[in-house]
Amino acid sequence: MGAQRVAVDVGGTFTDVFVVDEDTKDFFVSKVPSTPDDPMRAVMAGVDRAGIDLSSVSLFSHGTTVATNALITRRFPPAAMVTTTGFRDVLEIRDGTRDDLWDAYEDVTPPYIRRRDRFEVPERIGYDGQVVTPLDEDEARRVARLLRRRGATTVAVCFLNSYANPAHEERMREILLEEMPEASVSTSASILPEIFEFERFNTTVANAVLAPLVSGYVDRLADELADGGYEGDLLLLHSGGGSMTPRMVSQYPVRLAASGIAAGAIACRAIATQCGFENAIGLDMGGTSTDICVVHGGELRVTKEWQVEYGHPITFPSIEVLTIGAGGGSLAWIDPAGSLRNGPQSAGADPGPACYATGGTEATNTDANLALGRLGTTLAGGAKALEPERAERALTEHVAEPLDMSLEEAAGAVLKVANANMSDAVRLVSIRRGLDPRDFALVAFGGAGALHGAEVAKELSIPTVIVPPNPGVTSALGCLLVDIRHDLSTMFSHHADEIDHDELEEAFTALEAEATERLLHEGVTAENAVLQRSINMRYAGQWRSLAVEVGSGAEALEEAVARFHEQHEREFVFRRDDAPVELYQIGLSAVGRTPKPAFPPHERTGTADPEPASRRRAWFEETGWVEVPVHDRDALPVGTTFAGPAIVDQFDSTTVVPPGTRAEIDEWLNIRIHLDASSAPGHDSKEA
C-alpha cells in the first residue's frame, strides 16, 4: 500500500481503527477490545492488528475517552484552586439549578476540587478591569509554598473579573511556578476569558485536573508512534469538531472531553450529505451508550455549555450530542413496581454481557439479540465468541421467569424497551425543537446501531435508514474528516447602534493574531488557515445570547444584526425588530485545513434478492420464528436490493432488516433501509 491515513477511536467496549490508502482510495478497518486501565495499549494493539507500518502513515488522528473517563471516575492527580478572597465556594454555590426540578433532596456531585484544597488570596479586579485591591504577593507566595508542601501537581487560578484584566492571575501564575516549577497551572483568563464566574471557574478547574492526565497520555502515545516510525503530528479530536496537536492539548486538555462523541457526529453529517440528505439524525449505539446528534440544513448543532456530569459546566463550543445509557451491554432489570427497565447500568467491557462468558450473568441487549437469532455466534471477525446458552439463561432468570414470559417474549421486550428509550431521546433533540423526524434520515452506526436502527426508525416514522459501510468504526472515520480548529472569544459589551467600529475591529484583530499564532505553532500554513468571526448578540436586558457570523466593516455588522433577528425568531419563535440589540461577546473560529479522504462512487452491478451466504432462524414480533437469509456484506455489490426480514453480517457490526422493509446497497456502499417497502427500489408489487 501507499501512504496511509489512520484514525483510531477508543470506545467503552472496543477500540476501532480506520485506514485509508491515499493512492487507491481503498480503506480497511480493524477492531480490538478496549483496555480501560490504559487506553494506549488498545490503540497500539489496533495498529498492530491492522498491520499498519507507521513509517508509511501520513496522518494519524485519534478520538480518545481519556478526558471523559477521568471526569466520570474522578481519578485526579493532587490538585488545588487559588481564588479571590470570599469566592472559595463559587464551585459549590453553582447557579442554583437542579437536574430534576422536583427532587429537592437530590444532591449535585461535589466539585472536582475539594473545599480544603481551595485557597483564597486578597486581590480584586473591578468589572471594568481597574484594580480595586492589589494582589497581596506575600499571601500569594505563602499559599504557593503551602501547595508545594501539600504535594499539589496542578493548580487552577480563578480570580474575579480576570476576563477584564488578567494581570493578577498572570502574576499569581508566576509566583506558583517560582515555588513549584514542575506544576501545571491553568488561569481562567487564558482558558475562558468570559463573564460568569461559576462557568469560568469550573471550566478552568476541569482543565487543571485533566492537564497532567491527558498530557501524560498524549505524550506517551506520541512517543510510541514516533518510535514506530510515524513522523507527523498526532492529531486529537476535540469536542468542538476540530483537532489539536499535543502541543495545544497540554494547554487546553479539557477540550478533549467528549472527543470520540464529536467524531461520530461529524461522520454522520458527511455520510448523510453524501447520500443527498440535508437533514439527518445520527444514532451511534455502542457497547455502553447511545449518542444522538442532529444534522439540520447540512449543519450540526453546536452548544456553548455542556457537561459530563450535571452541575459542572464546560463552557467551550461543542457539537451537541445527547448521550443515554443504551448500548449493547445495557442491563435489563425489573424495578420495584415490577416494570421492565433497560439501562443506564451496563455490563461494559468487563465483565461484559452474559454471552461473552467473561463473568457477566445479567441479561443485556446483546444477550437479547443473540437469543432471538439476530446476532451470530461471533463478533469482530471471530475475535469474540458468543455463547447463546448463557444469554438464554440470563434472560430466563432475570426477565422471563419474574415476568412470567416466554424466552422469546422476554428478549423481545428487552429490545422493545431499549428502542423506546432511544426513540424518546431522538424526540428530545428533534420534536422538542420543532423538527419533525419524518423529514430526516436516520444514520445508524456504532457496533449495535445497525441492529436497532430500523426498529427505532419505525417507532418515529422515519422513512429511510442509512447504515454506513463499516458502522462499527464510523466514529473512527469521523476523526479523518476534521480540520485543526481553535475557538477564541472575548467580552465586548456594547449596544449595536453605539458601536465604535474601530474598537470592534481592534478587538477582532487581537483575536486573529492569537489564532494565527496558534495555527503556526501547529504547523498550519497561511494558505490552509481560515478565520471566521462571530458576535454573540441579545436583545438589551436579556441574559442568553445567540452567536451570529459576521464579516468586517459597518455594513457587515448591520447584516449580522438582521440575521440575529431571524435566528432569534427561528430559535425562540419571536423577534423584536424595534428592540435595541446588544453585542455581548465576540468570537473567532480558527481552522487549519487538513487533507481528507475522498471515496469515489461505485458502479451498480448488483441484482434483486441475491442468494444469501447462509440462513438462520430469527424471531420478530410480526412473524415469530422464521428462517431468514443472512448476507455477507462484502459480497453485496452496489445496486443489490432485498426484502426483509433479512440479516447482514460483517466484521464490525450486524444489520437487521425487519419484516415489511426493503434494503438496497447504494453507490457509496451504504445499506439504505426503506421502511415503506412499496416505494423502495427493487419492489415487486406481487410480493407486497
Side-chain angles (χ1 to χ4, degrees):
M1 297 185 69
Q4 299 172 345
R5 296 177 196 166
V6 178
V8 180
D9 178 60
V10 178
T13 305
F14 287 101
T15 292
D16 306 325
V17 181
F18 196 102
V19 184
V20 179
D21 186 295
E22 291 185 347
D23 297 332
T24 66
K25 310 302 181 186
D26 291 335
F27 62 89
F28 63 94
V29 301
S30 181
K31 202 174 186 75
V32 297
S34 293
T35 51
D37 59 318
D38 183 7
M40 192 184 80
R41 288 195 293 114
V43 173
M44 299 312 297
V47 169
D48 290 341
R49 178 160 185 176
I52 297 169
D53 177 4
L54 289 171
S55 64
S56 68
V57 173
S58 62
L59 184 145
F60 195 105
S61 184
H62 180 31
T64 175
T65 55
V66 169
T68 309
N69 291 343
L71 293 177
I72 292 172
T73 62
R74 292 174 173 254
R75 295 175 181 171
F76 302 137
M81 173 182 170
V82 180
T83 189
T84 306
T85 298
F87 290 85
R88 182 185 185 188
D89 295 316
V90 164
L91 295 180
E92 282 175 298
I93 295 172
R94 301 188 304 103
D95 55 3
T97 62
R98 291 182 175 276
D99 191 18
D100 184 348
L101 180 64
W102 308 108
D103 189 347
Y105 297 98
E106 182 182 12
D107 291 327
V108 173
T109 54
Y112 295 135
I113 294 179
R114 299 170 297 182
R115 191 175 194 271
R116 65 187 181 189
D117 295 322
R118 304 196 295 265
F119 299 87
E120 298 178 344
V121 172
E123 71 83 36
R124 189 64 173 262
I125 297 290
Y127 73 93
D128 56 357
Q130 299 299 311
V131 175
V132 178
T133 302
L135 174 67
D136 187 333
E137 293 203 9
D138 291 337
E139 181 64 12
R141 195 165 296 276
R142 186 193 71 81
V143 168
R145 289 169 177 169
L146 176 61
L147 294 181
R148 182 184 63 196
R149 291 196 300 271
R150 291 176 61 135
T153 60
T154 181
V155 184
V157 180
C158 305
F159 288 162
L160 192 68
N161 295 328
S162 61
Y163 67 88
N165 182 351
H168 286 179
E169 282 194 351
E170 290 172 356
R171 180 56 186 151
M172 186 71 227
R173 182 177 187 275
E174 291 173 357
I175 293 172
L176 285 166
L177 291 177
E178 288 169 7
E179 299 294 336
M180 309 161 59
E182 302 301 319
S184 172
V185 180
S186 299
T187 62
S188 72
S190 64
I191 299 301
L192 192 72
E194 297 181 10
I195 199 171
F196 296 129
E197 59 269 16
F198 167 55
E199 288 81 358
R200 176 162 49 88
F201 285 16
N202 195 81
T203 302
T204 306
V205 164
N207 195 80
V209 297
L210 290 174
L213 295 172
V214 172
S215 296
Y217 168 78
V218 169
D219 290 343
R220 285 194 304 120
L221 179 57
D223 290 343
E224 191 79 13
L225 294 174
D227 290 343
Y230 179 55
E231 298 179 354
D233 268 329
L234 168 63
L235 296 183
L236 295 115
L237 188 75
H238 63 66
S239 59
S243 60
M244 306 164 68
T245 64
R247 283 171 290 188
M248 294 307 297
V249 168
S250 64
Q251 298 178 48
Y252 304 99
V254 71
R255 297 224 64 184
L256 292 192
S259 167
I261 294 174
I266 291 164
C268 170
R269 179 179 61 183
I271 291 164
T273 302
Q274 189 180 58
C275 292
F277 292 93
E278 286 195 341
N279 297 336
I281 295 169
L283 185 79
D284 180 3
M285 185 177 183
T288 306
S289 61
T290 295
D291 302 318
I292 298 168
C293 66
V294 173
V295 180
H296 184 236
E299 296 296 329
L300 286 160
R301 187 180 176 91
V302 175
T303 180
K304 189 67 187 295
E305 185 176 307
W306 55 282
Q307 51 219 337
V308 173
E309 292 180 287
Y310 186 82
H312 306 287
I314 296 173
T315 314
F316 272 120
S318 173
I319 293 175
E320 189 173 61
V321 177
L322 176 61
T323 300
I324 64 170
S330 293
L331 300 176
W333 54 284
I334 299 172
D335 67 16
S339 297
L340 179 63
R341 301 299 182 94
N342 193 295
Q345 306 93 325
S346 174
D350 184 18
C355 60
Y356 280 17
T358 52
T361 59
E362 298 182 74
T364 67
N365 292 329
T366 298
D367 295 310
N369 277 306
L370 180 62
L372 295 181
R374 302 184 184 190
L375 271 179
T377 55
T378 61
L379 294 178
K384 175 74 70 175
L386 305 182
E387 299 187 12
E389 298 80 8
R390 291 179 182 267
E392 293 168 4
R393 188 184 313 144
L395 286 161
T396 299
E397 180 180 343
H398 295 284
V399 181
E401 290 181 350
L403 296 178
D404 193 23
M405 291 179 167
S406 67
L407 174 64
E408 294 83 2
E409 290 172 334
V414 168
L415 299 183
K416 203 165 188 177
V417 174
N419 293 335
N421 290 342
M422 288 184 279
S423 299
D424 285 343
V426 171
R427 292 184 181 100
L428 283 177
V429 298
S430 58
I431 296 175
R432 190 176 181 180
R433 295 203 173 103
L435 303 175
D436 189 341
R438 294 173 296 184
D439 298 332
F440 288 69
L442 183 73
V443 182
F445 57 103
L451 276 166
H452 294 254
E455 296 288 353
V456 172
K458 273 189 176 183
E459 181 88 10
L460 297 163
S461 299
I462 294 175
T464 303
V465 179
I466 302 171
V467 180
N470 293 97
V473 296
T474 297
S475 290
L477 167 64
C479 294
L480 291 177
L481 302 175
V482 299
D483 294 308
I484 291 174
R485 179 184 175 117
H486 298 286
D487 298 286
L488 293 78
S489 64
T490 190
M491 301 305 298
F492 193 88
S493 183
H494 297 275
H495 280 200
D497 55 0
E498 300 173 359
I499 286 292
D500 181 332
H501 293 286
D502 291 337
E503 183 184 357
L504 177 61
E505 184 65 25
E506 184 179 336
F508 270 123
T509 300
L511 286 183
E512 288 172 344
E514 182 181 350
T516 301
E517 182 180 348
R518 289 193 191 184
L519 293 177
L520 287 174
H521 189 60
E522 297 193 300
V524 177
T525 58
E527 58 268 24
N528 287 324
V530 178
L531 306 180
Q532 176 60 59
R533 297 177 175 186
S534 65
I535 300 178
N536 277 51
M537 300 181 184
R538 58 191 180 188
Y539 291 122
Q542 281 189 332
W543 170 42
R544 292 183 174 86
S545 59
L546 293 174
V548 180
E549 289 188 358
V550 65
S552 58
E555 291 184 1
L557 180 60
E558 293 176 6
E559 294 169 359
V561 171
R563 285 197 298 274
F564 164 75
H565 290 299
E566 296 171 0
Q567 190 169 328
H568 194 280
E569 183 177 28
R570 185 166 59 250
E571 189 80 12
F572 302 113
V573 204
F574 77 95
R575 60 190 289 167
R576 297 178 57 195
D577 294 68
D578 57 338
V581 175
E582 182 182 28
L583 277 64
Y584 161 67
Q585 183 184 64
I586 63 173
L588 185 77
S589 295
V591 175
R593 290 190 293 252
T594 60
K596 300 173 187 64
F599 303 107
H602 296 257
E603 293 184 11
R604 291 182 173 270
T605 59
T607 60
D609 300 317
E611 186 65 26
S614 63
R615 295 182 181 272
R616 69 169 176 256
R617 295 179 73 243
W619 188 92
F620 296 91
E621 187 175 16
E622 302 93 328
T623 63
W625 284 104
V626 61
E627 190 175 76
V628 300
V630 179
H631 298 282
D632 179 355
R633 184 153 188 181
D634 291 337
L636 296 177
V638 170
T640 300
T641 63
F642 53 91
I647 294 171
V648 181
D649 273 342
Q650 62 187 103
F651 168 78
D652 57 310
S653 187
T654 298
T655 302
V656 172
V657 182
T661 67
R662 191 164 185 88
E664 65 164 323
I665 310 299
D666 70 15
E667 62 269 38
W668 312 106
L669 299 179
N670 302 299
I671 301 176
R672 297 198 199 189
I673 303 175
H674 301 275
L675 270 66
D676 181 4
S678 62
S679 61
H683 170 71
D684 185 341
S685 60
K686 294 180 181 178
E687 288 180 336

